[in-house]
């Protein structure tokens, strides 16, 4: 069964702690993305990676970090520097990094709550 | 820069009646346009996409959208709403200098009344 998995579905952390969200895909996609979704808003791009060992900042990268050591995996770390980390986080992937017509496939999301 | 405006934040329809979700975009290039659906606490699922082929695009679950360049619009329609259509819908644009980066509209939440 091909797809994108994100774990865990729900995550709770205390303020000041770093937390890492997992994203794995078995679609053999080159490009992977992390988005943040806040209530009543569209998605905002945090980081993206077009190829292994390379990634770029999106629109709201401050307070986040990523790595892309394997094609299948693109973990996101929410650091203590992120001022408002509570949100729904979505990972996505796409076939190609070079064309605008390739749709992105989304994982089921991780809801992070920081208190 | 490109942008997307979804003209209605909420739409309420009765089951069996038509659904219309409005989307206007701004792009300096010929864009690719997408509609995604999101059910509560789930990821996004692609409904349909426009990539400079036919201007009337048919998608899954009976949805379709028409690309109108002169009006910079990409409205989503369905002739007869079903209870399972209750969800949030996002209009999305990509292309040009942004490459494959997606720009999302704010979303339209659809309520279907029995």
């Amino acid at each position: 069964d091909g797809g994108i998995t994100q774990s865990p579905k729900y995550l709770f952390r205390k303020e000041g702690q770093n937390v890492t969200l997992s994203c794995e895909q078995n679609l053999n996609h080159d490009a992977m993305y992390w988005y943040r979704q806040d209530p009543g808003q569209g998605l905002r791009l945090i980081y993206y990676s077009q190829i292994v060992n390379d990634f770029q900042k999106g629109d709201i990268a401050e307070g986040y970090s990523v790595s892309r050591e394997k094609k299948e995996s693109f973990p996101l770390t929410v650091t203590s520097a992120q001022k408002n980390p509570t949100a729904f986080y979505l990972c996505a992937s796409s076939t190609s990094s070079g064309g605008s017509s390739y749709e992105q496939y989304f994982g089921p999301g991780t809801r992070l709550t920081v208190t | 820069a490109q942008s997307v405006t979804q003209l209605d934040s909420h739409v309420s329809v009765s089951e069996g009646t038509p659904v219309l979700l409005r989307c206007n975009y701004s792009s300096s290039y010929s864009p690719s346009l997408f509609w995604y659906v999101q059910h509560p606490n789930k990821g996004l699922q692609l409904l349909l996409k426009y990539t400079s082929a036919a201007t009337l695009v048919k998608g899954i679950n009976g949805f379709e959208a028409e690309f109108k360049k002169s009006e910079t619009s990409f409205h989503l329609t369905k002739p007869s709403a079903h209870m399972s259509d209750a969800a949030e819908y996002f209009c999305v644009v990509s292309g040009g200098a942004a490459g494959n980066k997606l720009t999302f509209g704010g979303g339209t939440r659809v309520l279907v009344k029995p």
Side-chain angles (χ1 to χ4, degrees):
Chain A
D1 219 6
I4 302 177
T5 56
Q6 292 185 243
S7 61
K9 188 170 177 63
Y10 298 95
L11 191 53
F12 298 87
R13 279 294 182 272
K14 295 289 188 187
E15 198 173 318
Q17 293 179 333
N18 291 357
V19 60
T20 297
L21 281 60
S22 167
C23 177
E24 304 276 333
Q25 55 100 358
N26 60 5
L27 300 168
N28 199 32
H29 285 173
D30 289 314
M32 296 186 74
Y33 311 81
W34 273 106
Y35 294 91
R36 171 187 172 128
Q37 185 177 28
D38 294 285
Q41 297 186 33
L43 279 64
R44 293 182 290 168
L45 182 65
I46 304 172
Y47 268 98
Y48 63 104
S49 168
Q50 297 177 324
I51 196 168
V52 175
N53 291 323
D54 188 42
F55 48 83
Q56 287 79 41
K57 292 182 179 179
D59 301 318
I60 55 164
E62 187 175 348
Y64 299 98
S65 66
V66 293
S67 63
R68 186 86 186 278
E69 297 176 3
K70 299 187 298 182
K71 188 175 185 179
E72 305 80 27
S73 179
F74 191 41
L76 172 74
T77 297
V78 184
T79 75
S80 57
Q82 167 49 232
K83 290 183 172 52
N84 295 298
T86 294
F88 190 48
Y89 291 87
L90 287 154
C91 178
S93 68
S94 66
T95 301
S96 169
S97 58
S100 65
S101 64
Y102 295 98
E103 65 265 31
Q104 294 182 15
Y105 295 79
F106 286 81
T110 291
R111 185 166 298 281
L112 173 65
T113 301
V114 176
T115 58
Chain B
Q2 54 194 17
S3 66
V4 179
T5 302
Q6 292 184 241
L7 298 166
D8 306 291
S9 60
H10 291 81
V11 167
S12 181
V13 299
S14 296
E15 191 176 20
T17 65
V19 182
L20 169 65
L21 305 184
R22 298 182 294 165
C23 171
N24 286 104
Y25 70 92
S26 172
S27 177
S28 302
Y29 302 87
S30 294
S32 295
L33 291 156
F34 309 83
W35 275 99
Y36 283 86
V37 61
Q38 184 181 32
H39 289 90
N41 293 310
K42 302 287 188 187
L44 277 68
Q45 180 185 18
L46 181 70
L47 281 177
L48 49 79
K49 69 176 182 180
Y50 166 78
T51 57
S52 76
T55 56
L56 183 61
V57 182
K58 293 192 184 298
I60 62 171
N61 300 336
F63 285 95
E64 63 181 37
E66 186 170 10
F67 174 73
K68 291 187 177 179
K69 186 175 181 179
S70 61
E71 298 176 10
T72 61
S73 70
F74 190 56
H75 300 336
L76 180 71
T77 61
K78 181 173 180 177
S80 177
H82 190 271
M83 295 299 291
S84 61
D85 294 327
E88 188 147 25
Y89 293 79
F90 293 97
C91 182
V92 183
V93 63
S94 72
N100 61 338
K101 289 173 62 178
L102 302 184
T103 300
F104 285 77
T108 298
R109 187 167 296 279
V110 172
L111 173 67
V112 181
K113 296 177 289 185

